[in-house]
Amino acid sequence: MTRILSSDKLDNCVARWRKAGNKVFGPVKKETTSSYAAVESAAEFDLGLILPDRSVKELFFPQTEPMMRYSIKKQAIDTEDFQPPIEKRIIFGVRPCDASGLAIDDPLFGWDYKDDFWFKRRNNSVIITIACTKSDDFCMCTSLKLAPDSTKGADVMLRPLQNGKGWQVEELTDRGREAVKEIADLLQDSAEPTAPNAMVPEKFNLDACVAWLRNPENFESSFWKEISMRCIGCGSCTFLCPTCHCFDFQDEGDTYNGIRRKNWDSCSFALFTMHTSGHNPRSTQSARWRQRIMHKFNYFPGKFNVNSCSGCGRCSRQCPVDMGITETLQAISTLQP
Amino acid sequence: MSTQETYKTKVKELLSSGKVKMVIGYKAGTTADRRRPHFMRTPEEVDQLVLDSACITNLSGYLLSEGLLSDGKEIAVFLKPDGIRSINILAAEAQLQSNQVVVLGFDINGSEISALQGERASDFQALTSSSNEARLHKQQHPESARLEQMTPAERFAYWEDAFSRCIKCYACRQACPMCYCRRCIVDNNQPQWVNTSSHTLGNFEWNIVRAFHLAGRCVECGNCGRACPVNIPLGLLNMKMTDEVLQSFNHYPGVSETQEPVLASFKKNDSETFIL
């Protein structure tokens, strides 16, 4: 016997969590695109999506975030910091790849400077993951040694029941236990079996790829030019990625008054590494694509012992020219290290 | 022989004879309905060429990849009528020499494709001129018609909502054959002319700047809308700009390479009614 949450009780849960002072988020399809968005009732959720078009990252690291207000006066410069939000949040129906993405980025946002905006949100959010029973041609979590039911980054794990009428509930962290406690009387005991996980075939040999990437001789390989020839240099893959985390500071306002903002930036952009002198160390698109792959599967694991990819497949799924990490790593898998 | 097989033979000839140094076409993509740009430099690479009704991307923008045309050698590229018009505009705007481009023309009719005869963009003038005529009498897109019926406040709310999804990835710009500036105005950051933030102002600034810069230049190939990862209906803006330019200046972009860029050329008899 395990405890289950039945689908028809979900709306009660949302109401309960909201009443307890939480803002509730989940997968929502609006117009022609989908994301994790705030809801007032469970009816707004679209739990049938394989995964939302946009990753859960943006609830923790938004595209634009005001950091500081400045005002330059004759004698002094006044600054006023914007404070990270402290609202309590329940994020329901997060896909395992998205939740893993958050866990992958945690060490990055805290290794030297501790990013308060990230961690305040992380500490005030409960991630309720739902295991995947469906996948598409782009899903590749298993190639990254994750799975359709990975618990990485999750506070609560829900496994869909075979009858499609609810989920088996498993609390994983204190935050998760707290959130489940608020709805404890809405759960029931049941022996109903869970649905099988989505089948996600392994698409490439990650270890072989990493070995090839770590060989310094391959840095200048002609492979990079060939594989990235059709890259048009947009930021779609990086901005939809649940782990890409690069940002830029921008001062908006006039000479004397304004707001300093932290905005997403992308290694795909030519401007990303442009020096003031006009020199650009990554002057070609192939050098930029190489950087993206090297960063995710060589430099990032070198520093944090984990690949900066959770296999959601958005980079390939949404690429205007049908490129992506899958194709590149599949090609690398076939090369001699 | 199918159009695809006929073209395979032709492309192999172009490459093996040394007439062109590269052919830009399509090959199979990740899923059955996707096609990828395919760059062929040897006859062997032609075996992967696919030409069918899923080959909808306008490939002309690749011709302007840095350094590609600078050696003066010819390149062949698969183009639908919209892509051929792009070549005319790029030539008119001095971005390429049309005699360096071999056009491998084709058109899609439903699930069928047909070959278009001609080698240089100028060989297709009858076709590009007739598309001008067709555009004049084209029935308005139902969504455009719906927008026209709205009050300005309603229309503003519509675009505010649509643009609120913008994440400033610039996929629309990068996918557009007409957005060839080596340094876009939004990348000019000393000073920062256009906000890079995705707030309401920043999103309006970017999307309106993009649409305005394409007025009288857009061939309505749809690359921008298909590239947008959050599905902003960018094509509706471009359609509106095309309508306006057609009505105000009787200008349909890309008919020929001698056509003057409408908003970059001055005529004494231009109507001044648009000046407030």
Side-chain angles (χ1 to χ4, degrees):
Chain A
M1 295 287 266
T2 49
R3 275 180 317 151
I4 64 150
L5 165 62
S6 93
S7 316
D8 55 16
K9 297 274 173 58
L10 185 56
D11 201 36
N12 290 355
C13 296
V14 172
R16 195 74 72 76
W17 284 323
R18 279 167 53 82
K19 212 174 159 195
N22 298 287
K23 205 166 175 181
V24 179
F25 294 77
V28 172
K29 187 160 169 55
K30 199 179 151 218
E31 303 285 331
T32 50
T33 185
S34 51
S35 62
Y36 294 96
V39 299
E40 291 181 3
S41 87
E44 295 170 59
F45 289 144
D46 193 338
L47 299 174
L49 296 170
I50 287 171
L51 82 171
D53 294 339
R54 297 168 68 159
S55 88
V56 80
K57 146 180 104 175
E58 55 194 55
L59 294 183
F60 297 85
F61 169 44
Q63 201 282 353
T64 181
E65 173 122 64
M67 310 296 291
M68 176 184 89
R69 200 184 297 279
Y70 63 86
S71 147
I72 301 171
K73 304 198 168 108
K74 265 200 172 142
Q75 301 296 332
I77 300 171
D78 291 342
T79 61
E80 183 199 339
D81 285 347
F82 283 82
Q83 296 307 316
I86 48 161
E87 62 184 12
K88 281 168 54 191
R89 308 189 296 182
I90 304 271
I91 309 177
F92 185 87
V94 178
R95 287 299 177 204
C97 50
D98 272 333
S100 302
L102 297 174
I104 289 169
D105 273 355
D106 280 338
L108 178 275
F109 281 110
W111 71 279
D112 59 348
Y113 175 76
K114 201 167 171 357
D115 189 322
D116 242 11
F117 286 82
W118 176 268
F119 286 107
K120 282 257 163 61
R121 288 193 175 104
R122 286 287 279 138
N123 294 335
N124 286 314
S125 302
V126 182
I127 305 292
I128 303 183
T129 296
I130 299 182
C132 298
T133 53
K134 284 193 299 185
S135 64
D136 67 10
D137 292 334
F138 300 93
C139 290
M140 51 156 176
C141 56
T142 50
S143 312
L144 274 304
K145 303 184 180 179
L146 291 163
D149 63 345
S150 290
T151 54
K152 190 170 178 166
D155 295 301
V156 179
M157 183 72 187
L158 300 182
R159 292 171 203 279
L161 299 178
Q162 202 153 34
N163 65 14
K165 291 180 176 166
W167 307 271
Q168 216 175 67
V169 181
E170 184 189 351
E171 302 100 310
L172 302 162
T173 64
D174 287 344
R175 277 206 295 271
R177 275 181 277 279
E178 202 60 37
V180 172
K181 208 192 280 175
E182 284 164 7
I183 55 158
D185 58 306
L186 298 171
L187 304 181
Q188 57 204 88
D189 287 333
S190 165
E192 185 65 32
T194 54
N197 284 340
M199 287 294 293
V200 182
E202 211 172 301
K203 297 204 158 78
F204 47 82
N205 181 335
L206 184 64
D207 294 330
C209 292
V210 170
W212 190 87
L213 292 171
R214 285 191 182 156
N215 180 350
E217 282 176 23
N218 295 329
F219 191 77
E220 298 291 355
S221 165
S222 61
F223 167 79
W224 296 112
K225 275 204 176 87
E226 289 298 317
I227 199 79
S228 63
M229 202 174 247
R230 65 182 190 277
C231 179
I232 54 173
C234 75
S236 166
C237 52
T238 46
F239 285 4
L240 297 172
C241 174
T243 64
C244 272
H245 47 256
C246 287
F247 56 82
D248 181 32
F249 286 117
Q250 287 281 335
D251 290 346
E252 285 180 2
D254 57 33
T255 313
Y256 299 104
N257 295 286
I259 290 177
R260 173 160 295 179
R261 307 184 75 99
K262 179 174 145 189
N263 293 342
W264 286 353
D265 204 351
S266 168
C267 58
S268 307
F269 295 158
L271 202 62
F272 186 72
T273 43
M274 180 74 87
H275 292 182
T276 318
S277 64
H279 170 66
N280 193 344
R282 284 183 219 138
S283 58
T284 59
Q285 207 55 41
S286 61
R288 292 172 206 132
W289 182 247
R290 175 182 62 196
Q291 165 63 21
R292 185 154 194 268
I293 300 294
M294 283 288 188
H295 185 211
K296 287 190 172 296
F297 303 101
N298 187 3
Y299 314 145
F300 195 93
K303 190 166 179 68
F304 301 115
N305 216 14
V306 60
N307 293 303
S308 175
C309 173
S310 61
C312 71
R314 285 187 182 91
C315 52
S316 312
R317 200 179 282 111
Q318 305 275 43
C319 175
V321 292
D322 197 45
M323 265 180 68
I325 286 173
T326 310
E327 183 207 10
T328 297
L329 295 197
Q330 273 173 335
I332 292 177
S333 290
T334 65
L335 301 171
Q336 293 299 314
Chain B
M1 207 162 26
S2 71
T3 309
Q4 174 181 287
E5 294 311 311
T6 312
Y7 264 130
K8 271 190 181 173
T9 312
K10 184 168 178 181
V11 168
K12 281 186 181 173
E13 272 168 27
L14 283 171
L15 286 168
S16 48
S17 68
K19 158 95 173 148
V20 300
K21 68 165 178 176
M22 180 191 275
V23 179
I24 308 175
Y26 306 87
K27 63 179 172 181
T30 308
T31 54
D33 58 348
R34 286 197 183 195
R35 300 293 171 263
R36 291 174 177 170
H38 182 32
F39 303 89
M40 294 158 271
R41 284 142 300 180
T42 61
E44 294 71 49
E45 289 171 304
V46 182
D47 294 334
Q48 282 177 279
L49 174 73
V50 173
L51 191 67
D52 61 16
S53 59
C55 299
I56 46 179
T57 302
N58 180 353
L59 299 174
S60 58
Y62 281 116
L63 292 169
L64 301 187
S65 301
E66 210 164 343
L68 192 60
L69 291 173
S70 55
D71 58 4
K73 290 184 180 153
E74 291 187 35
I75 291 187
V77 56
F78 280 88
L79 297 168
K80 296 194 282 75
D82 50 13
I84 298 171
R85 288 170 53 217
S86 303
I87 300 295
N88 282 332
I89 301 171
L90 293 172
E93 295 182 359
Q95 296 305 308
L96 51 75
Q97 307 269 346
S98 60
N99 60 9
Q100 231 183 309
V101 180
V102 174
V103 175
L104 301 168
F106 71 103
D107 205 356
I108 301 173
N109 314 294
S111 61
E112 300 294 312
I113 57 157
S114 53
L116 300 174
Q117 301 308 319
E119 181 178 303
R120 300 294 180 199
S122 55
D123 298 340
F124 299 87
Q125 193 151 358
L127 176 84
T128 49
S129 305
S130 71
S131 69
N132 181 3
E133 199 54 33
R135 182 64 175 80
L136 271 169
H137 302 110
K138 193 179 167 190
Q139 210 178 353
Q140 203 175 23
H141 189 280
E143 191 65 359
S144 294
R146 193 172 76 84
L147 280 168
E148 296 281 356
Q149 295 301 312
M150 289 180 179
T151 64
E154 286 168 341
R155 210 156 38 231
F156 188 84
Y158 174 91
W159 286 112
E160 191 174 18
D161 181 57
F163 293 156
S164 72
R165 304 201 289 271
C166 179
I167 50 174
K168 295 279 182 93
C169 68
Y170 304 121
C172 47
R173 175 186 75 187
Q174 298 304 104
C176 177
M178 294 306 134
C179 270
Y180 52 68
C181 292
R182 284 278 174 256
R183 195 157 182 172
C184 175
I185 185 156
V186 299
D187 292 336
N188 277 314
N189 54 359
Q190 289 176 332
Q192 185 77 47
W193 294 104
V194 178
N195 288 314
T196 62
S197 308
S198 271
H199 45 42
T200 308
L201 176 64
N203 288 344
F204 266 88
E205 280 176 324
W206 162 243
N207 285 285
I208 289 175
V209 161
R210 191 197 71 84
F212 271 35
H213 279 185
L214 289 166
R217 306 173 61 238
C218 170
V219 298
E220 301 177 290
C221 66
N223 271 12
C224 55
R226 283 191 296 272
C228 179
V230 295
N231 298 321
I232 300 170
L234 298 166
L236 293 176
L237 285 176
N238 297 335
M239 263 184 244
K240 176 67 178 165
M241 303 309 286
T242 303
D243 288 344
E244 291 293 322
V245 170
L246 207 50
Q247 280 162 25
S248 302
F249 304 103
N250 191 30
H251 180 95
Y252 184 68
V255 172
S256 80
E257 68 171 285
T258 52
Q259 194 184 21
E260 283 182 8
V262 67
L263 296 186
S265 52
F266 171 77
K267 289 192 195 76
K268 274 187 178 170
N269 59 353
D270 269 346
S271 149
E272 289 173 3
T273 51
F274 65 95
I275 297 174
L276 294 174

